[in-house]
Amino acid sequence: QVVRMNSIGPRSEMTEPGRRSERSAAMHTLSSLEDFLRRHQYQVGAGLALLGTLAVTIGVLLLSLAPRPDLQPGPSLRSTAQASTMTTTPAAGHRIVWLGPPARLWQTVNGTGELIRPKADVLFVPNFQFDGPVINVSDIRGQTLTGFGGAFSEASARVFRELPPEQQQMVLEGYFGKDGIGYTLGRIDVTGDFKLDTFYSDMTIEKRVQVPFVKAAHELLASQGKAIQLLATQSDPGPWMKTNAKMFPPAHPCLRETVSAEWAQYFVSWITEYHGQGLPIWAVTVQHETVNNAREDCLLSPKEEANFLSDVLGDRLRAAHPNVKIFLSHHSNHQTFEWADLLRSHPVARFTVGVAFQSPAKADLQAVERVRQDMPKAQLLASEAVGLRQRWRWHKGGTVATGEWELGKNYALDIITDLNAGSIAWIDWSLLINEERIGPNHVDNIWDAAMNLLADNDGGPEREDNVWDAAMMADLSTGEVRRHPQYYFIGHFSKYIVPGSVLLHSSLHTGSGQVGKTTSPGSSERSALLCEPEDGLQSTSFLRPDGLVATVVLNCDDKAVNFKLLQGERAAHANIPPHAIQTYMFEHTGHSPFQHPSQGGTPFIGVNLGGWLLLEEWMWASQMTEPGIRDEYTLIQKKGGPQDQRAISLLHNHWETFVTEEDLNRLQQFGITHVRVPVGWWLVDYDPTEGFVDGSERYLHRLLKWLQVRGMRCVIDLHALPGAQTSHQSFTGKYSNVGGFFLDRRNYIRGQRVIEKFANLILGYERDPKTAGVVLGLELVNEPEWKFWRTSPGVRELYEQMVPVLRRQLPAYRYAIFLNFMESPRTEGSKWLADMRKRDPKNYESVIYDVHMYHSYGDDNGPGREWTPYVDSCKTCCRDPAVLAPLVEHDVPILIGEYSLNTGFPGNPSFYLEYLKNQLSLWASTPGMVGSFFWNHRILRNPGGWYKEMSLLELLLPRGPLPPISQMNLTVRCPGKDLSKCPKFDPTTTLWSDKCVWRGNPDVNDNTGKTQAQLRDDGSRTNKGGSSR
């Protein structure tokens, strides 16, 4: 065939004689070839066999390198021969930017049950091009926030007083408790604003009705180390003080000249009385609603109010209460500038700090913004959030049980515009309203509240006068309390933008795919401040005292919106559902890829993807339990070697199916945010003669793309080094009896090059927009045998040589380096790392001590050892803290790189749940803990076989016993256990396998005879548990 193919020429150019001559020559050549083959048949046969092998090898390589739509290769770092050409610094022109940890996200969406619900973290990546809305959080700073709150009116206090004690506590906890929405402010009326009767000259009613309500909130905040701050507002004096001698209509001029001093002195005495009750008055307004003709007010012009303060009230108040702030006050914010202008020209300026304003029906914030621009030192205070009845009326179908979603949206927009305009606080008009649910007895009841702390259920939305609504509404006939949508909308601000936070001016760029109009929601073109589709996205951002940024995003549109959240050189892909609100919280600046626990960070919860790109024989029962197979190398040899199609197909199919997008979805829903991926050296330093199948890097690259869109992060774990870093372990790729990596310097030097290649691979991922920001760091080596700690080559030598090398490529502000220590007790390695962090802080910043903690492999139900759930909980709750204590003492950051639910005993569902909660609560309560990785996401075990307790996907609901992590109490170590019954351990001598026995029953409180769980239930039980939730 070769002769015929080579002899064929263009037919049109060849004559018949020529063809005959050619055929003759061909026959002669073929005859000569046949004679040659007969004489050299064995040599030729061997040569053809070699050519065939080469052809197959080339074909396999081409097949493995062929691109697939979902499997594009990442940065290529192939053979050992290329090691000498490797770069040791990032590619020219590419700057590695600080990304910090992912942003935490809470979301409230209509009709989904998501009410300030935590969602998957949002990953920051280097800034990218985006043709859509961009929320750009700048570092230009504005006012400092005092807080959020509502008013303690007499009517609201009466509703509160009539509730059962359990529901009163639920109301207080909902607003002022540590798990509530973070209120720290309250407005209190000096003379009876919204009182059911007329003015009184003493505090008889206050002490009986209002003061207990205020005190309860004050004491609850004090128990958390916080203080309530009260704004006192003058409203309407008694008729005998007014020029028309009537409560209504309002009078102008208001006060009779002969009573001005008495009215001022009453104000001062009232504040003194409240201080005597232990209730601090933070600030006052001179007059509440100075231009409201529709209710019983004291009408004052700007100059009249300023004169009363400067001539009568100011000196008296300053002498008696010098620390109380004074605000000028008026009715609507479109007149704010008229009052603020007095601060520049009137003597009143020596007493006042700024101007208070209300949110009116016509949402004109331009006057407020003008004050901020022209008089930046004047403080602005949104002292009362109100609106006209048409603005807040329930739509058809609205009920006391459901409330009105639109009210929540509108209130959120009100808060955003107030804060962005410069307000130092936001206070709702009333915490509770009276039992008739049509509000205080103002004339014609034309004013309304979108957010009251509580209202009762007398009447319904169909009543013409009934326009009131509340964030919590009470049915006094049953004692039930319900939370309405606005409670959650307000909570997105008040819960996360804490007192002391500073406004960060942010801008919204709509891009070509414009969302919303350019008209500001606070402009005079709008008749009311309503969250309508044309408003699109709205946002505000604040820098908290703890260094975190809280950004609230509101979507007024009828459709979901994809947008970019931009801060400096980093950005995040984000999406918000229609008519929803979100709060993002992230670090403002930093020098670490994660938020250190000492700065308030919460340890992440991750999972290992072991047995995927590096096989272990016990994790794949159907393929690796045959005799003679004990690692990935011997499995491949059983299948014909790395060029055999059987081995190639087996491995590629495994890589394709062992980790899927659906797996990641389930893990993320459970609460997993990070993955650790064990890999072998051949992933970046492939040599076909070593017996491994090539091509796994494509699957790692694909995984990183999947993780990025889910906001998850990855640690690449070098699980196997050439020659094996430890003996008798299948995870080294090639089982070794001696641990040849540290015994053969050639392996050691090659391993160093491998580590550098992984660093370059990670840099390549960072340059790829689809994988940027995902890799958190690199683990140098998994479980190196401890006997090599001090040898040369050895573990310590490897760490000391490679950490500075890696830091030239992987800066500490962006990447963590994980070092695994197999010591017990954990004293020498932790001290070494602490010393290195002091000696070389630049290189050892973000270098993490990796601990693997198992109650198995010798610390389990083995011969001579008794196992029970009590024994195991004692290990977790009492012994393991002592194991970790040296790390805490040396102040090194800690990672639990591997742990599981394996105890050497089959266990049961209730034990699995308790064991996991105990471990996670221990990690969360351990100082310096960065995060943890469960081993493993999946085990391919035989049906009914061992290791289910290490296969997380099998343990998750609904097939398993484990609910989402968000439903577990991890705030205290080992919830439900009496830790005073722990035995004593010496951290300097405690081994990971030491026995542990409780000193009594840890589940029972000796004083009460009840279990810890019963005591918790007793403390949280309410009359209406379902409705109170």
Side-chain angles (χ1 to χ4, degrees), residues 385-395 404 406-412 414 448-451 467-469 529-530:
V386 296
L388 289 177
R389 66 167 73 184
Q390 289 83 0
R391 178 182 173 193
W392 304 116
R393 184 177 296 281
W394 286 357
H395 291 85
E404 175 59 63
E406 292 298 314
L407 305 188
K409 289 168 47 187
N410 295 340
Y411 237 71
D414 179 86
D448 135 50
M451 194 295 188
V467 296
W468 307 95
D469 193 14
L529 192 60
L530 303 178

PDB file of all heavy atoms in Angstrom, residues 385-395 404 406-412 414 448-451 467-469 529-530:
ATOM      1  N   ALA A 385     -39.758  58.992  60.473  1.00  0.00           N
ATOM      2  CA  ALA A 385     -40.123  58.487  59.149  1.00  0.00           C
ATOM      3  C   ALA A 385     -41.633  58.381  59.076  1.00  0.00           C
ATOM      4  O   ALA A 385     -42.245  57.596  59.795  1.00  0.00           O
ATOM      5  CB  ALA A 385     -39.485  57.126  58.904  1.00  0.00           C
ATOM      6  N   VAL A 386     -42.261  59.206  58.223  1.00  0.00           N
ATOM      7  CA  VAL A 386     -43.718  59.204  58.097  1.00  0.00           C
ATOM      8  C   VAL A 386     -44.095  59.338  56.640  1.00  0.00           C
ATOM      9  O   VAL A 386     -43.263  59.543  55.780  1.00  0.00           O
ATOM     10  CB  VAL A 386     -44.354  60.362  58.897  1.00  0.00           C
ATOM     11  CG1 VAL A 386     -44.112  60.210  60.366  1.00  0.00           C
ATOM     12  CG2 VAL A 386     -43.818  61.698  58.394  1.00  0.00           C
ATOM     13  N   GLY A 387     -45.410  59.244  56.335  1.00  0.00           N
ATOM     14  CA  GLY A 387     -45.873  59.426  54.974  1.00  0.00           C
ATOM     15  C   GLY A 387     -47.380  59.539  54.939  1.00  0.00           C
ATOM     16  O   GLY A 387     -48.076  59.256  55.904  1.00  0.00           O
ATOM     17  N   LEU A 388     -47.931  59.984  53.808  1.00  0.00           N
ATOM     18  CA  LEU A 388     -49.380  60.103  53.668  1.00  0.00           C
ATOM     19  C   LEU A 388     -50.034  58.741  53.552  1.00  0.00           C
ATOM     20  O   LEU A 388     -49.421  57.776  53.108  1.00  0.00           O
ATOM     21  CB  LEU A 388     -49.710  60.939  52.437  1.00  0.00           C
ATOM     22  CG  LEU A 388     -49.397  62.448  52.541  1.00  0.00           C
ATOM     23  CD1 LEU A 388     -49.703  63.116  51.218  1.00  0.00           C
ATOM     24  CD2 LEU A 388     -50.201  63.095  53.654  1.00  0.00           C
ATOM     25  N   ARG A 389     -51.318  58.685  53.900  1.00  0.00           N
ATOM     26  CA  ARG A 389     -52.025  57.405  53.918  1.00  0.00           C
ATOM     27  C   ARG A 389     -52.012  56.736  52.546  1.00  0.00           C
ATOM     28  O   ARG A 389     -51.916  55.527  52.431  1.00  0.00           O
ATOM     29  CB  ARG A 389     -53.453  57.604  54.409  1.00  0.00           C
ATOM     30  CG  ARG A 389     -54.330  58.432  53.463  1.00  0.00           C
ATOM     31  CD  ARG A 389     -55.781  58.322  53.846  1.00  0.00           C
ATOM     32  NE  ARG A 389     -56.037  59.087  55.071  1.00  0.00           N
ATOM     33  CZ  ARG A 389     -57.219  59.087  55.664  1.00  0.00           C
ATOM     34  NH1 ARG A 389     -58.217  58.395  55.168  1.00  0.00           N
ATOM     35  NH2 ARG A 389     -57.405  59.790  56.749  1.00  0.00           N
ATOM     36  N   GLN A 390     -52.123  57.522  51.457  1.00  0.00           N
ATOM     37  CA  GLN A 390     -52.147  56.901  50.133  1.00  0.00           C
ATOM     38  C   GLN A 390     -50.835  56.182  49.843  1.00  0.00           C
ATOM     39  O   GLN A 390     -50.787  55.231  49.081  1.00  0.00           O
ATOM     40  CB  GLN A 390     -52.402  57.968  49.058  1.00  0.00           C
ATOM     41  CG  GLN A 390     -53.818  58.526  49.062  1.00  0.00           C
ATOM     42  CD  GLN A 390     -53.966  59.637  50.105  1.00  0.00           C
ATOM     43  OE1 GLN A 390     -53.015  59.968  50.809  1.00  0.00           O
ATOM     44  NE2 GLN A 390     -55.176  60.189  50.207  1.00  0.00           N
ATOM     45  N   ARG A 391     -49.780  56.662  50.462  1.00  0.00           N
ATOM     46  CA  ARG A 391     -48.482  56.067  50.219  1.00  0.00           C
ATOM     47  C   ARG A 391     -48.360  54.676  50.834  1.00  0.00           C
ATOM     48  O   ARG A 391     -47.683  53.820  50.320  1.00  0.00           O
ATOM     49  CB  ARG A 391     -47.418  56.993  50.800  1.00  0.00           C
ATOM     50  CG  ARG A 391     -46.005  56.494  50.674  1.00  0.00           C
ATOM     51  CD  ARG A 391     -45.082  57.498  51.344  1.00  0.00           C
ATOM     52  NE  ARG A 391     -43.723  57.007  51.408  1.00  0.00           N
ATOM     53  CZ  ARG A 391     -42.786  57.573  52.147  1.00  0.00           C
ATOM     54  NH1 ARG A 391     -43.072  58.647  52.858  1.00  0.00           N
ATOM     55  NH2 ARG A 391     -41.575  57.087  52.168  1.00  0.00           N
ATOM     56  N   TRP A 392     -49.064  54.455  51.935  1.00  0.00           N
ATOM     57  CA  TRP A 392     -48.852  53.220  52.682  1.00  0.00           C
ATOM     58  C   TRP A 392     -50.073  52.309  52.722  1.00  0.00           C
ATOM     59  O   TRP A 392     -50.055  51.287  53.390  1.00  0.00           O
ATOM     60  CB  TRP A 392     -48.445  53.558  54.128  1.00  0.00           C
ATOM     61  CG  TRP A 392     -47.236  54.431  54.216  1.00  0.00           C
ATOM     62  CD1 TRP A 392     -47.170  55.692  54.703  1.00  0.00           C
ATOM     63  CD2 TRP A 392     -45.924  54.112  53.781  1.00  0.00           C
ATOM     64  NE1 TRP A 392     -45.899  56.189  54.602  1.00  0.00           N
ATOM     65  CE2 TRP A 392     -45.114  55.231  54.051  1.00  0.00           C
ATOM     66  CE3 TRP A 392     -45.340  53.002  53.193  1.00  0.00           C
ATOM     67  CZ2 TRP A 392     -43.758  55.279  53.748  1.00  0.00           C
ATOM     68  CZ3 TRP A 392     -43.995  53.034  52.886  1.00  0.00           C
ATOM     69  CH2 TRP A 392     -43.224  54.158  53.167  1.00  0.00           C
ATOM     70  N   ARG A 393     -51.148  52.681  52.047  1.00  0.00           N
ATOM     71  CA  ARG A 393     -52.351  51.867  52.139  1.00  0.00           C
ATOM     72  C   ARG A 393     -52.102  50.465  51.601  1.00  0.00           C
ATOM     73  O   ARG A 393     -51.465  50.285  50.564  1.00  0.00           O
ATOM     74  CB  ARG A 393     -53.495  52.521  51.360  1.00  0.00           C
ATOM     75  CG  ARG A 393     -54.807  51.774  51.497  1.00  0.00           C
ATOM     76  CD  ARG A 393     -55.922  52.506  50.767  1.00  0.00           C
ATOM     77  NE  ARG A 393     -56.165  53.812  51.365  1.00  0.00           N
ATOM     78  CZ  ARG A 393     -56.858  53.986  52.482  1.00  0.00           C
ATOM     79  NH1 ARG A 393     -57.348  52.945  53.122  1.00  0.00           N
ATOM     80  NH2 ARG A 393     -57.050  55.194  52.970  1.00  0.00           N
ATOM     81  N   TRP A 394     -52.604  49.491  52.313  1.00  0.00           N
ATOM     82  CA  TRP A 394     -52.456  48.112  51.867  1.00  0.00           C
ATOM     83  C   TRP A 394     -53.193  47.885  50.554  1.00  0.00           C
ATOM     84  O   TRP A 394     -54.284  48.405  50.321  1.00  0.00           O
ATOM     85  CB  TRP A 394     -53.027  47.151  52.904  1.00  0.00           C
ATOM     86  CG  TRP A 394     -52.168  46.990  54.125  1.00  0.00           C
ATOM     87  CD1 TRP A 394     -50.949  47.547  54.354  1.00  0.00           C
ATOM     88  CD2 TRP A 394     -52.489  46.232  55.274  1.00  0.00           C
ATOM     89  NE1 TRP A 394     -50.473  47.184  55.574  1.00  0.00           N
ATOM     90  CE2 TRP A 394     -51.407  46.373  56.173  1.00  0.00           C
ATOM     91  CE3 TRP A 394     -53.576  45.461  55.655  1.00  0.00           C
ATOM     92  CZ2 TRP A 394     -51.373  45.756  57.408  1.00  0.00           C
ATOM     93  CZ3 TRP A 394     -53.546  44.846  56.896  1.00  0.00           C
ATOM     94  CH2 TRP A 394     -52.455  44.994  57.758  1.00  0.00           C
ATOM     95  N   HIS A 395     -52.625  47.065  49.708  1.00  0.00           N
ATOM     96  CA  HIS A 395     -53.318  46.629  48.502  1.00  0.00           C
ATOM     97  C   HIS A 395     -54.361  45.560  48.872  1.00  0.00           C
ATOM     98  O   HIS A 395     -54.338  44.996  49.963  1.00  0.00           O
ATOM     99  CB  HIS A 395     -52.327  46.059  47.487  1.00  0.00           C
ATOM    100  CG  HIS A 395     -51.430  47.099  46.889  1.00  0.00           C
ATOM    101  ND1 HIS A 395     -50.262  47.518  47.501  1.00  0.00           N
ATOM    102  CD2 HIS A 395     -51.538  47.805  45.740  1.00  0.00           C
ATOM    103  CE1 HIS A 395     -49.674  48.428  46.751  1.00  0.00           C
ATOM    104  NE2 HIS A 395     -50.429  48.627  45.681  1.00  0.00           N
ATOM    105  N   GLU A 404     -47.763  44.261  54.018  1.00  0.00           N
ATOM    106  CA  GLU A 404     -47.701  44.759  52.649  1.00  0.00           C
ATOM    107  C   GLU A 404     -46.236  44.883  52.224  1.00  0.00           C
ATOM    108  O   GLU A 404     -45.466  45.645  52.811  1.00  0.00           O
ATOM    109  CB  GLU A 404     -48.398  46.120  52.550  1.00  0.00           C
ATOM    110  CG  GLU A 404     -48.282  46.784  51.197  1.00  0.00           C
ATOM    111  CD  GLU A 404     -48.859  45.938  50.089  1.00  0.00           C
ATOM    112  OE1 GLU A 404     -50.078  45.667  50.118  1.00  0.00           O
ATOM    113  OE2 GLU A 404     -48.089  45.524  49.203  1.00  0.00           O
ATOM    114  N   GLU A 406     -44.894  46.184  49.620  1.00  0.00           N
ATOM    115  CA  GLU A 406     -44.517  47.481  49.083  1.00  0.00           C
ATOM    116  C   GLU A 406     -44.058  48.436  50.187  1.00  0.00           C
ATOM    117  O   GLU A 406     -43.193  49.285  49.961  1.00  0.00           O
ATOM    118  CB  GLU A 406     -45.688  48.094  48.321  1.00  0.00           C
ATOM    119  CG  GLU A 406     -46.047  47.365  47.041  1.00  0.00           C
ATOM    120  CD  GLU A 406     -44.905  47.388  46.035  1.00  0.00           C
ATOM    121  OE1 GLU A 406     -44.315  48.463  45.827  1.00  0.00           O
ATOM    122  OE2 GLU A 406     -44.606  46.321  45.464  1.00  0.00           O
ATOM    123  N   LEU A 407     -44.644  48.301  51.370  1.00  0.00           N
ATOM    124  CA  LEU A 407     -44.250  49.188  52.459  1.00  0.00           C
ATOM    125  C   LEU A 407     -42.790  48.974  52.830  1.00  0.00           C
ATOM    126  O   LEU A 407     -42.063  49.923  53.136  1.00  0.00           O
ATOM    127  CB  LEU A 407     -45.137  48.950  53.683  1.00  0.00           C
ATOM    128  CG  LEU A 407     -46.652  49.068  53.469  1.00  0.00           C
ATOM    129  CD1 LEU A 407     -47.359  49.000  54.804  1.00  0.00           C
ATOM    130  CD2 LEU A 407     -47.004  50.336  52.732  1.00  0.00           C
ATOM    131  N   GLY A 408     -42.365  47.727  52.828  1.00  0.00           N
ATOM    132  CA  GLY A 408     -40.969  47.445  53.130  1.00  0.00           C
ATOM    133  C   GLY A 408     -40.035  48.066  52.105  1.00  0.00           C
ATOM    134  O   GLY A 408     -39.021  48.685  52.449  1.00  0.00           O
ATOM    135  N   LYS A 409     -40.367  47.912  50.817  1.00  0.00           N
ATOM    136  CA  LYS A 409     -39.546  48.495  49.754  1.00  0.00           C
ATOM    137  C   LYS A 409     -39.466  50.014  49.884  1.00  0.00           C
ATOM    138  O   LYS A 409     -38.381  50.609  49.785  1.00  0.00           O
ATOM    139  CB  LYS A 409     -40.126  48.133  48.386  1.00  0.00           C
ATOM    140  CG  LYS A 409     -39.973  46.695  47.976  1.00  0.00           C
ATOM    141  CD  LYS A 409     -40.826  46.373  46.762  1.00  0.00           C
ATOM    142  CE  LYS A 409     -40.689  47.415  45.676  1.00  0.00           C
ATOM    143  NZ  LYS A 409     -41.629  47.196  44.559  1.00  0.00           N
ATOM    144  N   ASN A 410     -40.635  50.652  50.119  1.00  0.00           N
ATOM    145  CA  ASN A 410     -40.650  52.105  50.196  1.00  0.00           C
ATOM    146  C   ASN A 410     -39.857  52.608  51.392  1.00  0.00           C
ATOM    147  O   ASN A 410     -39.167  53.622  51.317  1.00  0.00           O
ATOM    148  CB  ASN A 410     -42.090  52.600  50.282  1.00  0.00           C
ATOM    149  CG  ASN A 410     -42.878  52.290  49.019  1.00  0.00           C
ATOM    150  OD1 ASN A 410     -42.309  52.048  47.956  1.00  0.00           O
ATOM    151  ND2 ASN A 410     -44.193  52.264  49.136  1.00  0.00           N
ATOM    152  N   TYR A 411     -39.981  51.888  52.491  1.00  0.00           N
ATOM    153  CA  TYR A 411     -39.223  52.307  53.661  1.00  0.00           C
ATOM    154  C   TYR A 411     -37.726  52.144  53.432  1.00  0.00           C
ATOM    155  O   TYR A 411     -36.923  52.973  53.869  1.00  0.00           O
ATOM    156  CB  TYR A 411     -39.665  51.509  54.882  1.00  0.00           C
ATOM    157  CG  TYR A 411     -40.139  52.430  55.980  1.00  0.00           C
ATOM    158  CD1 TYR A 411     -41.342  53.112  55.833  1.00  0.00           C
ATOM    159  CD2 TYR A 411     -39.393  52.648  57.120  1.00  0.00           C
ATOM    160  CE1 TYR A 411     -41.781  53.976  56.808  1.00  0.00           C
ATOM    161  CE2 TYR A 411     -39.820  53.505  58.096  1.00  0.00           C
ATOM    162  CZ  TYR A 411     -41.015  54.182  57.941  1.00  0.00           C
ATOM    163  OH  TYR A 411     -41.440  55.051  58.902  1.00  0.00           O
ATOM    164  N   ALA A 412     -37.310  51.082  52.753  1.00  0.00           N
ATOM    165  CA  ALA A 412     -35.895  50.895  52.455  1.00  0.00           C
ATOM    166  C   ALA A 412     -35.365  52.026  51.588  1.00  0.00           C
ATOM    167  O   ALA A 412     -34.250  52.529  51.805  1.00  0.00           O
ATOM    168  CB  ALA A 412     -35.688  49.548  51.763  1.00  0.00           C
ATOM    169  N   ASP A 414     -36.542  55.027  51.508  1.00  0.00           N
ATOM    170  CA  ASP A 414     -36.489  56.192  52.385  1.00  0.00           C
ATOM    171  C   ASP A 414     -35.189  56.198  53.194  1.00  0.00           C
ATOM    172  O   ASP A 414     -34.513  57.230  53.316  1.00  0.00           O
ATOM    173  CB  ASP A 414     -37.692  56.171  53.325  1.00  0.00           C
ATOM    174  CG  ASP A 414     -37.699  57.339  54.296  1.00  0.00           C
ATOM    175  OD1 ASP A 414     -38.206  58.404  53.937  1.00  0.00           O
ATOM    176  OD2 ASP A 414     -37.178  57.163  55.415  1.00  0.00           O
ATOM    177  N   ASP A 448     -49.681  58.586  59.057  1.00  0.00           N
ATOM    178  CA  ASP A 448     -49.589  57.144  59.095  1.00  0.00           C
ATOM    179  C   ASP A 448     -48.154  56.697  59.336  1.00  0.00           C
ATOM    180  O   ASP A 448     -47.234  57.471  59.149  1.00  0.00           O
ATOM    181  CB  ASP A 448     -50.127  56.610  57.768  1.00  0.00           C
ATOM    182  CG  ASP A 448     -49.292  55.549  57.155  1.00  0.00           C
ATOM    183  OD1 ASP A 448     -48.967  54.609  57.851  1.00  0.00           O
ATOM    184  OD2 ASP A 448     -48.974  55.681  55.970  1.00  0.00           O
ATOM    185  N   ALA A 449     -47.966  55.475  59.783  1.00  0.00           N
ATOM    186  CA  ALA A 449     -46.625  54.945  60.031  1.00  0.00           C
ATOM    187  C   ALA A 449     -46.398  53.694  59.234  1.00  0.00           C
ATOM    188  O   ALA A 449     -47.186  52.780  59.271  1.00  0.00           O
ATOM    189  CB  ALA A 449     -46.449  54.624  61.500  1.00  0.00           C
ATOM    190  N   ALA A 450     -45.322  53.658  58.515  1.00  0.00           N
ATOM    191  CA  ALA A 450     -44.966  52.437  57.802  1.00  0.00           C
ATOM    192  C   ALA A 450     -44.328  51.452  58.738  1.00  0.00           C
ATOM    193  O   ALA A 450     -44.418  50.255  58.550  1.00  0.00           O
ATOM    194  CB  ALA A 450     -44.012  52.743  56.656  1.00  0.00           C
ATOM    195  N   MET A 451     -43.650  51.917  59.717  1.00  0.00           N
ATOM    196  CA  MET A 451     -42.934  51.018  60.619  1.00  0.00           C
ATOM    197  C   MET A 451     -43.198  51.427  62.049  1.00  0.00           C
ATOM    198  O   MET A 451     -42.725  52.449  62.488  1.00  0.00           O
ATOM    199  CB  MET A 451     -41.444  51.058  60.327  1.00  0.00           C
ATOM    200  CG  MET A 451     -40.631  49.942  60.955  1.00  0.00           C
ATOM    201  SD  MET A 451     -40.621  50.020  62.728  1.00  0.00           S
ATOM    202  CE  MET A 451     -39.460  48.796  63.132  1.00  0.00           C
ATOM    203  N   VAL A 467     -55.224  53.275  58.220  1.00  0.00           N
ATOM    204  CA  VAL A 467     -54.104  53.264  57.283  1.00  0.00           C
ATOM    205  C   VAL A 467     -52.803  52.909  57.988  1.00  0.00           C
ATOM    206  O   VAL A 467     -51.738  53.047  57.419  1.00  0.00           O
ATOM    207  CB  VAL A 467     -53.952  54.638  56.600  1.00  0.00           C
ATOM    208  CG1 VAL A 467     -55.175  54.925  55.772  1.00  0.00           C
ATOM    209  CG2 VAL A 467     -53.730  55.744  57.627  1.00  0.00           C
ATOM    210  N   TRP A 468     -52.879  52.468  59.214  1.00  0.00           N
ATOM    211  CA  TRP A 468     -51.660  52.200  59.980  1.00  0.00           C
ATOM    212  C   TRP A 468     -51.103  50.822  59.662  1.00  0.00           C
ATOM    213  O   TRP A 468     -51.830  49.906  59.335  1.00  0.00           O
ATOM    214  CB  TRP A 468     -51.965  52.285  61.482  1.00  0.00           C
ATOM    215  CG  TRP A 468     -52.634  53.564  61.846  1.00  0.00           C
ATOM    216  CD1 TRP A 468     -53.961  53.790  61.964  1.00  0.00           C
ATOM    217  CD2 TRP A 468     -51.986  54.800  62.100  1.00  0.00           C
ATOM    218  NE1 TRP A 468     -54.203  55.100  62.278  1.00  0.00           N
ATOM    219  CE2 TRP A 468     -52.994  55.745  62.382  1.00  0.00           C
ATOM    220  CE3 TRP A 468     -50.660  55.214  62.129  1.00  0.00           C
ATOM    221  CZ2 TRP A 468     -52.720  57.063  62.679  1.00  0.00           C
ATOM    222  CZ3 TRP A 468     -50.381  56.534  62.430  1.00  0.00           C
ATOM    223  CH2 TRP A 468     -51.400  57.438  62.699  1.00  0.00           C
ATOM    224  N   ASP A 469     -49.816  50.699  59.789  1.00  0.00           N
ATOM    225  CA  ASP A 469     -49.170  49.403  59.657  1.00  0.00           C
ATOM    226  C   ASP A 469     -47.974  49.378  60.597  1.00  0.00           C
ATOM    227  O   ASP A 469     -47.564  50.421  61.107  1.00  0.00           O
ATOM    228  CB  ASP A 469     -48.715  49.157  58.213  1.00  0.00           C
ATOM    229  CG  ASP A 469     -48.323  47.712  57.975  1.00  0.00           C
ATOM    230  OD1 ASP A 469     -48.652  46.863  58.832  1.00  0.00           O
ATOM    231  OD2 ASP A 469     -47.691  47.437  56.958  1.00  0.00           O
ATOM    232  N   LEU A 529     -41.905  59.343  47.665  1.00  0.00           N
ATOM    233  CA  LEU A 529     -40.737  58.480  47.687  1.00  0.00           C
ATOM    234  C   LEU A 529     -41.199  57.028  47.635  1.00  0.00           C
ATOM    235  O   LEU A 529     -41.319  56.362  48.655  1.00  0.00           O
ATOM    236  CB  LEU A 529     -39.915  58.746  48.953  1.00  0.00           C
ATOM    237  CG  LEU A 529     -38.520  58.122  48.981  1.00  0.00           C
ATOM    238  CD1 LEU A 529     -37.677  58.630  47.829  1.00  0.00           C
ATOM    239  CD2 LEU A 529     -37.834  58.450  50.291  1.00  0.00           C
ATOM    240  N   LEU A 530     -41.473  56.526  46.450  1.00  0.00           N
ATOM    241  CA  LEU A 530     -41.936  55.170  46.243  1.00  0.00           C
ATOM    242  C   LEU A 530     -40.891  54.391  45.464  1.00  0.00           C
ATOM    243  O   LEU A 530     -40.282  54.904  44.528  1.00  0.00           O
ATOM    244  CB  LEU A 530     -43.260  55.161  45.479  1.00  0.00           C
ATOM    245  CG  LEU A 530     -44.414  55.954  46.097  1.00  0.00           C
ATOM    246  CD1 LEU A 530     -45.627  55.888  45.189  1.00  0.00           C
ATOM    247  CD2 LEU A 530     -44.743  55.421  47.471  1.00  0.00           C
TER     248      LEU A 530
END
